[in-house]
C-alpha cells in the first residue's frame, strides 16, 4: 500500500491522479491533499478520500473551507507553504505526487525528497530550477523520482532493461503545439484564447501556453538531462504532430526503442505510481489501423525562440535555468493578462537572461535567490516593454 500526499489535487494532473487512486484502493491511499484556491472541488475531494490533512493557499481560504466542512470529517486543515511542506514530510507518507504549478512546487517537492519520500513528479519547473540539488539529494537518500510527463515516462520505459552505457541519445518528441505552422506575422497576433487550445493534450493553463511557445519542450530537455543523466547535446528534439510516439531512446548499435500510447495523462500518472508495473487504465486501445502515418519534422527555433533559450540555459547550467523559469512565469502571466504579445514572451526571457550573472546552485536558498532575482528583473523589463 502506498500512502500518498497529493500536492496540487485540484489541478488537471491532481484530478486525474485521484481517478487512478480511486480505481486501485488496494494499492493507494490518500493521506493528505494539497489544494490551491478551488476549495469547492477540494471540499468534495476531502469528503470522498477522507485525508488526515488538507492544505489551501492562505488562512482566509482555510477558514472558509473549515466552515464548509463543519465537522463532517476529521481532516485537519492547514494553509500556505508551511502547510504544503508539513504534508509532504508526514511520517505516514511514502510517496508525494508533485503536481503544483510552476515555482510554487519547489519547496514542498524539495522537502518531500529531503524527508526521504519517493516523488511522482509532474511539476517539471522544480527540476528545471533545482535539478542538480534535487538529483543529488535523491541519490544520497535513495529516493526515487518518477516522472509524470508523457515524454519522460516514455523514456523511462524505453531504458528499462537496457545498459545505460549503451545509450547514445534521447529523442524527445513533441506535437509542436497549436501554432506549429504559423508564420512570425501570424504568431505576433496570437491571443491567449487561441494559445489555450492545444490540439492533442488537455492540460493546465501554464503548461498549455508553454506548449504553444515550445518552452515546454525546452524545459523537458532540461528535465531529461537531470532524470536520465545525459548532456543537453545528447537530446534531439523532433516534431511528431500525431503524438503517438511519446519519445524514444537510441542505443549505440543504432537500435531505437520507442513508447507508443493514446494521448491521455492517466497513462504516465499510472506508470509513475505503479513503476515498474503497467496496471490497467480504463482507456480504449490505440487503434494502429486508424493511424495512417507517423510523421516527423524539425522544430523551427527562429519562430519558437523559447526552445532555444531553454536549451541554452540548460547548457549554461548553474542558476540560469532557474532564471529562465522565473522570467517565463512573468512572461506567461503578462501574456495571459493581455499585457504583451505572444512573441514578446521570449523577448522578455532573453533580456532577463542577458542581464544575469550565473552562480552555483548548492543550496535551496540559492535556487530561491535565482528565482526572485529573475522575477524582479523580468518585471522591470516588462514595465519598460509596456511603456510604464
Ligand atoms: Mg510533456
Amino acid at each position: 500500500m502506498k500512502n500518498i500526499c497529493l500536492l496540487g489535487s485540484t489541478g488537471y494532473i491532481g484530478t486525474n491522479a485521484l481517478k487512478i487512486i480511486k480505481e486501485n484502493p488496494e494499492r493507494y491511499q490518500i493521506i493528505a491533499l494539497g489544494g490551491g484556491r478551488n476549495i469547492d472541488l477540494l471540499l468534495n475531494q476531502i469528503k470522498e478520500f477522507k485525508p488526515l490533512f488538507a492544505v489551501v493557499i492562505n488562512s482566509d481560504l482555510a477558514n472558509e473551507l473549515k466552515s464548509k466542512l463543519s465537522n463532517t470529517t476529521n481532516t485537519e486543515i492547514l494553509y500556505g507553504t508551511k502547510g504544503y511542506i508539513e504534508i509532504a514530510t508526514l511520517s505516514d507518507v511514502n510517496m508525494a505526487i508533485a503536481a503544483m504549478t510552476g515555482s510554487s512546487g519547489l519547496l514542498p517537492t524539495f522537502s518531500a525528497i529531503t524527508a526521504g519520500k519517493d516523488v511522482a513528479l509532474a511539476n517539471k519547473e522544480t527540476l528545471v530550477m533545482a535539478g542538480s540539488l534535487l538529483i543529488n539529494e535523491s541519490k544520497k537518500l535513495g529516493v526515487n523520482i518518477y516522472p509524470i510527463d508523457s515524454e519522460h515516462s516514455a523514456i523511462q520505459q524505453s531504458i528499462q532493461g537496457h545498459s545505460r552505457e549503451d545509450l547514445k541519445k534521447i529523442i524527445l518528441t513533441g506535437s509542436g503545439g497549436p501554432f506549429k505552422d504559423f508564420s512570425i506575422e501570424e504568431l505576433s497576433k496570437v491571443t491567449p484564447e487561441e494559445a489555450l487550445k492545444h490540439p492533442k493534450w488537455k492540460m493546465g493553463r501554464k503548461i498549455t501556453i508553454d506548449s504553444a511557445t515550445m518552452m515546454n519542450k525546452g524545459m523537458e530537455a532540461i528535465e531529461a538531462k537531470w532524470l536520465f543523466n545525459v548532456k543537453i547535446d545528447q537530446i534531439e528534439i523532433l516534431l511528431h504532430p500525431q503524438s503517438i510516439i511519446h519519445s524514444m531512446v537510441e542505443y549505440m548499435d543504432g537500435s531505437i526503442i520507442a513508447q507508443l500510447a493514446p494521448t491521455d495523462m492517466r497513462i504516465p500518472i499510472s506508470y509513475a505510481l505503479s513503476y515498474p508495473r503497467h496496471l490497467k487504465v480504463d482507456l480504449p486501445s490505440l487503434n494502429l489501423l486508424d493511424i495512417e502515418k507517423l510523421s516527423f519534422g524539425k522544430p523551427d527555433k527562429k519562430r519558437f525562440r523559447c526552445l532555444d533559450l531553454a536549451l541554452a540555459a540548460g547548457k549554461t547550467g548553474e542558476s540560469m535555468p532557474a532564471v529562465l523559469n522565473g522570467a517565463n512565469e512573468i512572461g506567461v502571466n503578462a501574456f495571459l493578462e493581455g499585457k504583451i504579445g505572444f512573441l514578446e514572451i521570449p523577448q522578455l526571457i532573453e533580456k532577463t537572461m542577458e542581464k544575469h550573472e550565473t552562480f552555483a546552485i548548492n543550496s535551496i536558498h540559492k535556487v530561491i535567490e535565482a528565482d526572485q532575482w529573475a522575477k524582479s528583473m523580468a518585471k522591470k523589463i516588462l514595465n519598460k516593454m509596456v511603456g510604464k
Side-chain angles (χ1 to χ4, degrees), residues 61-273:
L61 287 173
N63 289 332
E64 201 180 326
L65 182 59
K66 275 181 206 163
S67 72
K68 284 190 174 175
L69 273 170
S70 62
N71 301 329
T72 48
T73 71
N74 294 323
T75 304
E76 192 174 328
I77 308 299
L78 308 171
Y79 65 87
T81 304
K82 237 182 105 186
Y84 296 115
I85 292 174
E86 187 169 337
I87 60 167
T89 56
L90 287 170
S91 59
D92 285 353
V93 166
N94 44 37
M95 176 181 256
I97 301 178
M100 295 167 81
T101 307
S103 50
S104 63
L106 176 70
L107 283 174
T109 308
F110 180 71
S111 306
I113 290 174
T114 51
K117 317 295 183 193
D118 282 346
V119 171
L121 186 73
N123 179 219
K124 72 187 70 166
E125 289 88 346
T126 302
L127 260 191
V128 169
M129 297 170 78
S132 60
L133 198 65
L134 259 54
I135 296 299
N136 287 342
E137 286 295 318
S138 65
K139 278 192 185 141
K140 211 161 59 185
L141 297 165
V143 162
N144 297 303
I145 301 178
Y146 304 110
I148 299 185
D149 201 341
S150 58
E151 295 79 0
H152 305 76
S153 183
I155 297 163
Q156 192 170 46
Q157 294 174 54
S158 303
I159 60 174
Q160 238 179 248
H162 298 263
S163 277
R164 293 302 302 275
E165 58 194 325
D166 300 344
L167 186 153
K168 188 171 172 191
K169 67 177 177 191
I170 283 172
I171 304 168
L172 193 65
T173 56
S175 70
F179 312 131
K180 87 182 153 53
D181 300 318
F182 276 37
S183 66
I184 295 262
E185 169 72 17
E186 287 168 314
L187 285 175
S188 70
K189 292 176 190 150
V190 158
T191 64
E193 293 67 38
E194 290 168 320
L196 285 169
K197 284 186 205 132
H198 194 277
K200 290 288 174 191
W201 293 96
K202 279 206 296 185
M203 304 173 288
R205 283 163 70 86
K206 161 81 170 40
I207 185 172
T208 304
I209 301 298
D210 284 344
S211 296
T213 62
M214 289 199 73
M215 175 58 85
N216 183 55
K217 208 48 60 186
M219 286 192 174
E220 285 179 351
I222 301 176
E223 191 186 2
K225 166 186 146 152
W226 291 120
L227 286 172
F228 306 111
N229 191 23
V230 293
K231 296 191 175 73
I232 291 287
D233 288 335
Q234 275 177 289
I235 302 167
E236 179 184 345
I237 294 171
L238 209 56
L239 294 187
H240 169 46
Q242 296 85 9
S243 296
I244 298 295
I245 294 175
H246 296 300
S247 277
M248 307 175 246
V249 173
E250 185 181 331
Y251 290 94
M252 292 298 181
D253 61 357
S255 299
I256 294 177
I257 310 286
Q259 184 251 6
L260 292 72
T263 48
D264 193 300
M265 282 310 289
R266 277 176 286 170
I267 297 171
I269 294 170
S270 176
Y271 190 66
L273 298 186

Side-chain angles (χ1 to χ4, degrees), residues 23 266 280-284:
E23 280 162 22
R266 277 176 286 170
K280 185 179 181 323
V281 176
D282 202 8
L283 282 169

